[in-house]
């Protein structure tokens, strides 16, 4: 048979992967190396050359979008034969299996899938029936716990009671939740995989049927598989089927949600006679960008070995910009985007990547001020996020007790034993008396029309709001916000959520305090709280563009995986932010942060900017972090430091050795060679702090900061232009 059409346009490594004889195969596919194309051609090769029946092939992807793309490409190449393939995500395929074998899986024929919100509501109902205080065991934390246990393949009955009240209570809720799901014929996402895996184990004749049918398993993004997914595949593959695992250990960035990088690392141990192919030729980025990515990821240990290369041009150097603070960082980025657009570039070709969602606020504000439409990919605008809207609702009630939407939003957030029936009673009374919900609640607690328990809970909420008002009446805006999110319980409520989402929500609440501190009122005669609330309401209404419009793309580095853009900005590349401070004490987590940086760098096609701020107000406080080690891991000959007014010099931080010490600072060199006023180690005098010794210098020109160890007041950072420092 003429097979040239299946191999046309493929490079040598791609051809090797596509045309391999039937066998277990590991395809290490680097970023931008054409792995989807290889998967599609491999399936076509099996059908058209190896004469494999389409119904004997099962292909697993990780997102519905990827599954749709693969199906479309297969239909173009195979025509009607593609309809007989099983192609989908793990959850899609598990659902298909359970629908066909619902009786064997001990499910009703019309079982229903619970989405995340429905699952959370059911957990809350279960906890209420068990009379478990949600204040001590937040429902979101419980939801995370149940999902984590299912991802590890553990039923509630498998878990041992430890005598620890917290753990034993979670097991109790998990047990009751399972019983409620079974009674109602309900299946959550984690249950799909767990139940279908149990189906394999409990029905050996059914397993044998599918093992005989699916002789070829192809799995994309193998580095992202979790425990139950890997077990599901191993059982299905058995000793008869051939499995093709496609993935990249250097892009394993989802450990925080259960992904096991060990699955791809141990693949050759668990499956016999594995043929390994490395796809290293990149079709996306310039050579400079790829050299930088390779240099960074090379610092991780235990890699499976792979180095990206390209036939493309060398390309521009990677631009590094050191901003004085996050506002200057955002203005610089917006300036560069404006120049890109003015030269004929599209806004949607520009991506702003950040480690923490909280960083988006300053970027959004700068884009707003410049009138540049933007969209937050895979997320929400800062002021539209749930935790921010909750916090703003408390501020709105402090400002105006008769704000009904704000009242409804937080009367039971965090939970305070005020059920929906009580809220409906308040609504009915308000309609009856034509008054606000606040007034209705206040009057109902005094009329005896509520139960004692409901009345006490509502009265407690009213007292909380009144107390927040009184306690913050003379305070500045940021202290009002800080006190509100703390005293209301919001901060602790989200802090108790496990995983990345809970951490992100806490950081966003802290960032709201920072936004309040940075807020500049327009009218000195008007109360600042009212002005701030009006500004946030207007910002929430008009900034974000439609997803398909020509808009600047904002997203976290995690959300950027699988995407590519001509112009990319990786922002906030500072120690304690990226890598995140939570990763510093755990080598495995630090390596995942480095893989995340590798993913960010390889999103850029033509031009990459890396920015950091010498001073950053984030999560409500100022931080003075060193530039990230990831910048120092990029060879200096690949970098250019961008200065204000387009001055370009060699990067300040370039050593790949010691991460703790900066190179000699250009501001200091300028001082020594021009006016000779200050130098490291010099004793200086400050009118307030007295005498001290200069330890360090950061920044340039009017932005220069000096670190001084004062004899009596310890070490302090001071702005050189305002510090009034003299030689001692």
């Amino acid at each position: 048979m003429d097979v040239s059409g299946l191999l046309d346009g493929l490079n040598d490594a791609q051809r090797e992967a596509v045309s391999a004889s039937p066998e277990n195969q590991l395809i290490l596919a680097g970023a931008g190396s054409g792995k989807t194309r290889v998967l599609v051609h491999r399936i076509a090769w099996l059908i058209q050359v190896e004469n494999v029946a389409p119904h004997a092939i099962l292909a697993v992807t990780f997102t519905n979008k990827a599954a749709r793309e693969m199906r479309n490409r297969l239909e173009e190449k195979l025509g009607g034969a593609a309809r007989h393939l099983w192609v989908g995500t793990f959850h899609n395929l598990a659902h298909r299996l359970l629908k066909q074998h619902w009786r064997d899986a001990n499910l009703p024929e019309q079982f229903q899938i619970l989405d995340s919100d429905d699952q959370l509501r059911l957990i809350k109902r279960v906890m209420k029936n068990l009379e478990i205080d949600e204040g001590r065991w937040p429902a979101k934390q419980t939801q995370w716990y149940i999902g984590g246990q299912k991802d590890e393949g553990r039923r509630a009955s498998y878990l041992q009671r430890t005598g620890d009240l917290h753990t034993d209570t979670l097991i109790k809720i998990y047990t009751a939740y399972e019983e409620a799901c079974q009674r109602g014929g309900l299946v959550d996402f984690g249950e799909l995989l767990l139940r279908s895996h149990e189906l394999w184990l409990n029905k050996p004749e059914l397993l044998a049927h599918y093992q005989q049918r699916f002789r070829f398993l192809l799995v994309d993004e193998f580095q992202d598989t979790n425990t139950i997914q890997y077990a599901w595949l191993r059982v299905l593959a058995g000793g008869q089927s051939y499995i093709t695992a496609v993935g990249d250990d250097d892009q394993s960035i989802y450990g925080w949600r259960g992904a096991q990088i060990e699955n791809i690392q141990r693949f050759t141990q668990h499956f016999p006679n594995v043929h390994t192919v490395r796809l290293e030729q990149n079709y996306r980025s310039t050579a400079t960008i790829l050299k930088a990515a390779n240099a960074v990821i090379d610092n991780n240990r235990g890699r499976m070995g792979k180095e990206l290369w390209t036939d493309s041009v060398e390309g521009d150097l990677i631009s590094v910009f050191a901003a004085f603070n996050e506002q200057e960082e955002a203005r610089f980025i917006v300036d560069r985007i404006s120049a890109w657009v003015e030269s004929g570039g599209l806004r949607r070709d520009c991506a702003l990547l950040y480690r923490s969602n909280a960083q988006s606020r300053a970027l959004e504000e700068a884009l707003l001020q410049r009138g540049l439409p933007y969209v937050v990919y895979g997320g929400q605008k800062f002021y539209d996020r749930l935790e921010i809207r909750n916090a703003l609702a408390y501020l709105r009630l402090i400002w105006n007790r008769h704000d009904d939407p704000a009242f409804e939003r937080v009367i039971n957030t965090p939970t305070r034993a005020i059920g929906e029936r009580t809220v409906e009673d308040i609504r009915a009374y308000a309609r009856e008396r034509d008054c606000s919900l606040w007034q209705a609640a206040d009057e109902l607690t005094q009329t005896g029309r509520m139960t004692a328990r409901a009345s006490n809970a509502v009265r407690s909420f009213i007292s909380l709001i009144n107390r927040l008002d009184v306690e913050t009446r003379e305070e500045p805006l940021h202290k009002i916000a800080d006190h509100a999110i703390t005293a209301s319980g919001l901060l602790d409520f989200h802090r108790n959520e496990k995983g990345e989402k809970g951490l992100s929500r806490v950081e966003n609440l802290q960032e709201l305090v920072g936004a309040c501190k940075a807020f500049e009122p327009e009218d000195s005669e008007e109360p600042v709280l009212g002005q701030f609330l009006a500004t946030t309401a207007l910002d929430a209404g008009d900034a974000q563009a439609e997803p398909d419009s020509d808009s600047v793309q904002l997203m976290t580095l995690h959300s950027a995986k699988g995407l590519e853009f001509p112009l990319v900005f990786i922002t906030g590349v500072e120690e304690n932010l990226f890598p995140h401070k939570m990763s510093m004490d755990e080598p495995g987590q630090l390596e995942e942060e480095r893989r995340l940086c590798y993913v960010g760098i390889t999103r850029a096609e033509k031009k990459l900017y890396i920015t950091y701020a010498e001073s950053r107000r984030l999560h409500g406080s100022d931080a003075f972090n060193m530039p990230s080690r990831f910048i120092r891991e990029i060879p200096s000959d690949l970098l250019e430091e961008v200065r204000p007014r387009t001055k370009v010099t060699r990067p300040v931080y370039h050593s790949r050795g010691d991460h703790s010490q900066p190179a000699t600072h250009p501001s200091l060199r300028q001082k020594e060679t021009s006016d000779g006023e200050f130098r490291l180690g010099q004793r200086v005098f400050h009118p307030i702090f007295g005498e001290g010794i200069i330890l360090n210098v950061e920044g340039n020109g009017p932005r220069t900061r000096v670190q001084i160890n004062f004899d009596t007041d310890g070490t302090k950072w001071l702005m050189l232009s305002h510090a009034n420092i003299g030689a001692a």
Side-chain angles (χ1 to χ4, degrees):
M1 173 182 178
D2 180 16
V3 298
S4 60
L6 293 177
L7 301 178
D8 283 349
L10 302 180
N11 63 42
D12 291 344
Q14 291 172 333
R15 289 182 178 218
E16 180 183 353
V18 167
S19 62
S21 59
E23 58 190 336
N24 290 320
Q25 188 171 199
L26 173 61
I27 302 176
L28 292 173
S33 62
K35 66 181 176 65
T36 303
R37 188 181 189 195
V38 168
L39 272 171
V40 170
H41 282 246
R42 175 61 175 168
I43 292 172
W45 180 276
L46 290 173
I47 294 172
Q48 296 180 357
V49 178
E50 301 291 347
N51 296 315
V52 175
H55 72 265
I57 297 174
L58 179 143
V60 188
T61 66
F62 259 78
T63 66
N64 290 315
K65 179 182 177 183
R68 286 192 298 270
E69 181 182 353
M70 184 176 290
R71 283 195 211 99
N72 291 337
R73 292 197 192 185
L74 286 167
E75 287 173 2
E76 291 176 4
K77 193 161 290 292
L78 300 173
R83 291 196 298 271
H84 301 288
L85 299 163
W86 275 35
V87 179
T89 65
F90 277 104
H91 293 103
N92 292 149
L93 297 172
H95 179 240
R96 184 171 180 175
L97 185 70
L98 294 176
K99 289 293 286 184
Q100 292 190 14
H101 304 284
W102 54 272
R103 189 176 284 107
D104 289 321
N106 194 26
L107 287 170
E109 185 175 8
Q110 301 300 324
F111 69 87
Q112 297 294 313
I113 297 178
L114 286 172
D115 64 20
S116 181
D117 289 342
D118 289 338
Q119 183 191 26
L120 184 62
R121 279 191 285 271
L122 178 58
I123 289 170
K124 288 182 176 181
R125 190 157 67 246
V126 166
M127 292 176 64
K128 185 176 181 180
N129 292 340
L130 294 173
E131 297 184 343
I132 292 174
D133 180 11
E134 194 180 337
R136 294 186 64 186
W137 287 273
K140 285 294 292 184
Q141 181 182 351
T142 306
Q143 182 183 35
W144 175 86
Y145 172 81
I146 291 172
Q149 296 303 320
K150 290 189 176 187
D151 285 346
E152 291 296 317
R154 293 191 286 258
R155 291 270 177 217
S157 58
Y158 303 166
L159 303 173
Q160 297 294 319
R161 302 295 174 99
T162 64
D164 174 71
L165 178 62
H166 183 75
T167 301
D168 289 353
T169 301
L170 289 173
I171 295 174
K172 181 179 179 181
I173 298 169
Y174 185 12
T175 302
Y177 169 78
E178 281 191 312
E179 293 170 352
C181 287
Q182 188 63 38
R183 284 195 305 270
L186 304 173
V187 176
D188 60 43
F189 288 116
E191 183 73 16
L192 288 170
L193 264 296
L194 181 55
R195 177 113 20 171
S196 61
H197 180 247
E198 292 170 341
L199 182 64
W200 297 143
L201 302 180
N202 296 333
K203 301 292 179 180
E205 69 284 356
L206 197 62
L207 173 61
H209 165 75
Y210 281 102
Q211 286 177 333
Q212 185 64 33
R213 172 178 176 173
F214 293 125
R215 303 305 301 273
F216 294 87
L217 312 178
L218 299 95
V219 187
D220 194 11
E221 304 289 4
F222 202 85
Q223 77 280 351
D224 292 334
T225 53
N226 62 26
T227 299
I228 192 65
Q229 290 165 346
Y230 191 48
W232 190 90
L233 287 168
R234 290 187 69 185
V235 170
L236 178 57
Q240 308 172 62
S241 302
Y242 298 114
I243 185 166
T244 297
V246 184
D248 182 3
D249 58 315
D250 290 334
Q251 295 189 76
S252 179
I253 60 173
Y254 297 119
W256 51 273
R257 67 183 191 195
Q260 298 284 332
I261 190 174
E262 295 83 3
N263 293 342
I264 192 170
Q265 292 173 336
R266 298 172 184 168
F267 181 78
T268 56
Q269 301 170 27
H270 294 163
F271 293 89
N273 304 317
V274 175
H275 175 229
T276 300
V277 180
R278 288 172 170 79
L279 304 183
E280 298 173 299
Q281 184 173 358
N282 176 281
Y283 293 94
R284 173 189 299 159
S285 306
T286 66
T288 296
I289 290 169
L290 296 182
K291 289 175 185 176
N294 288 332
V296 170
I297 201 63
D298 192 48
N299 288 274
N300 274 0
R301 298 179 179 179
R303 296 176 59 230
M304 302 180 74
K306 173 176 42 60
E307 184 158 338
L308 297 178
W309 62 275
T310 182
D311 283 337
S312 180
V313 298
E314 284 293 314
D316 294 342
L317 294 176
I318 296 169
S319 298
V320 178
F321 178 70
F324 169 56
N325 57 23
E326 72 276 12
Q327 282 85 21
E328 186 183 38
E329 178 186 49
R331 285 194 297 270
F332 168 80
I333 291 170
V334 170
D335 285 344
R336 287 297 187 268
I337 293 174
S338 296
W340 170 272
V341 173
E342 289 170 5
S343 64
L346 297 174
R347 289 185 290 264
R348 64 169 171 263
D349 288 341
C350 308
L352 278 58
L353 312 183
Y354 37 82
R355 176 62 180 84
S356 167
N357 271 311
Q359 291 171 251
S360 76
R361 181 187 63 81
L363 298 170
E364 290 184 54
E365 289 179 355
L367 289 164
L368 270 171
Q369 292 170 3
R370 193 64 62 87
L372 286 169
Y374 67 90
V375 61
V376 179
Y377 184 93
Q380 295 173 299
K381 292 186 296 180
F382 182 79
Y383 289 113
D384 281 347
R385 291 170 186 152
L386 176 142
E387 62 277 12
I388 300 302
R389 292 169 68 185
N390 289 342
L392 290 175
Y394 277 103
L395 296 179
R396 284 161 53 189
L397 281 178
I398 292 172
W399 176 248
N400 174 19
R401 303 293 196 282
H402 305 296
D403 186 329
D404 284 353
F407 181 92
E408 283 192 286
R409 184 171 190 89
V410 296
I411 186 174
N412 200 41
T413 303
T415 52
R416 47 177 63 90
I418 300 176
E420 181 57 32
R421 181 174 178 179
T422 299
V423 176
E424 184 52 46
D425 288 344
I426 295 172
R427 292 192 192 105
Y429 188 90
R431 288 194 297 269
E432 176 186 325
R433 297 299 179 94
D434 193 24
C435 64
S436 69
L437 294 177
W438 176 273
Q439 184 178 340
D442 191 32
E443 292 180 7
L444 274 173
T445 59
Q446 303 173 43
T447 62
R449 290 172 56 173
M450 283 183 173
T451 65
R453 181 180 179 184
S455 181
N456 289 337
V458 172
R459 173 54 56 190
S460 177
F461 173 69
I462 290 173
S463 298
L464 168 66
I465 301 301
N466 286 332
R467 189 170 67 253
L468 290 176
D469 184 10
V470 171
E471 292 171 349
T472 61
R473 194 161 290 173
E474 303 301 322
E475 297 288 348
L477 179 61
H478 70 281
K479 290 193 175 180
I480 298 175
D482 185 49
H483 189 59
I485 65 176
T486 302
S488 67
L490 271 183
L491 199 62
D492 285 339
F493 176 69
H494 291 303
R495 187 175 279 132
N496 287 330
E497 290 185 62
K498 297 295 184 182
E500 188 83 7
K501 181 176 286 188
L503 176 63
S504 177
R505 284 180 169 163
V506 168
E507 290 178 343
N508 287 337
L509 287 172
Q510 293 169 335
E511 177 63 11
L512 177 63
V513 176
C516 290
K517 196 164 189 177
F519 179 70
E520 297 181 0
E522 294 184 359
D523 190 337
S524 60
E525 301 298 320
E526 292 292 325
V528 67
L529 176 57
Q531 293 186 64
F532 177 73
L533 292 172
T535 299
T536 58
L538 291 171
D539 283 355
D542 65 0
Q544 189 163 321
E546 292 300 316
D548 295 328
S549 64
D550 182 21
S551 309
V552 178
Q553 308 288 306
L554 274 68
M555 67 195 72
T556 64
L557 284 148
H558 284 99
S559 298
K561 188 170 177 293
L563 303 177
E564 55 194 56
F565 304 92
L567 176 61
V568 169
F569 298 84
I570 305 180
T571 67
V573 189
E574 303 147 24
E575 292 289 300
N576 297 315
L577 183 57
F578 188 38
H580 197 279
K581 60 185 177 182
M582 299 289 285
S583 71
M584 295 303 192
D585 298 327
E586 174 54 53
Q589 292 182 14
L590 183 58
E591 292 208 341
E592 182 159 316
E593 291 286 298
R594 186 173 281 110
R595 293 194 292 269
L596 190 58
C597 183
Y598 174 83
V599 166
I601 292 172
T602 54
R603 298 313 93 193
E605 297 175 349
K606 297 179 180 179
K607 180 63 183 177
L608 173 63
Y609 286 88
I610 295 175
T611 66
Y612 65 91
E614 297 168 354
S615 163
R616 184 177 298 274
R617 176 167 290 277
L618 195 63
H619 317 324
S621 60
D622 287 323
F624 303 99
N625 295 318
M626 293 283 289
S628 171
R629 68 193 67 196
F630 301 149
I631 299 177
R632 300 193 291 276
E633 290 171 357
I634 299 174
S636 59
D637 60 349
L638 301 178
L639 302 175
E640 61 175 1
E641 188 172 18
V642 182
R643 293 293 182 186
R645 297 180 298 279
T646 70
K647 181 180 179 183
V648 179
T649 64
R650 186 172 67 85
V652 173
Y653 297 98
H654 61 276
S655 171
R656 298 186 64 190
D658 183 1
H659 289 159
S660 65
Q661 296 298 324
T664 302
H665 200 280
S667 292
L668 189 62
R669 289 199 299 270
Q670 181 182 356
K671 287 289 182 184
E672 290 174 337
T673 57
S674 58
D675 55 36
E677 186 177 350
F678 299 117
R679 64 185 184 278
L680 286 179
Q682 180 179 353
R683 288 193 66 81
V684 293
F685 175 80
H686 186 274
I688 296 177
F689 304 122
E691 290 192 16
I693 297 175
I694 297 179
L695 300 180
N696 201 356
V697 181
E698 289 186 358
N700 296 278
R703 304 176 303 145
T704 302
R705 298 184 303 122
V706 289
Q707 185 185 37
I708 303 174
N709 184 15
F710 290 102
D711 296 343
T712 56
D713 285 79
T715 301
K716 298 183 182 297
W717 281 97
L718 301 174
M719 293 295 299
L720 190 59
S721 58
H722 304 301
N724 194 20
I725 299 170

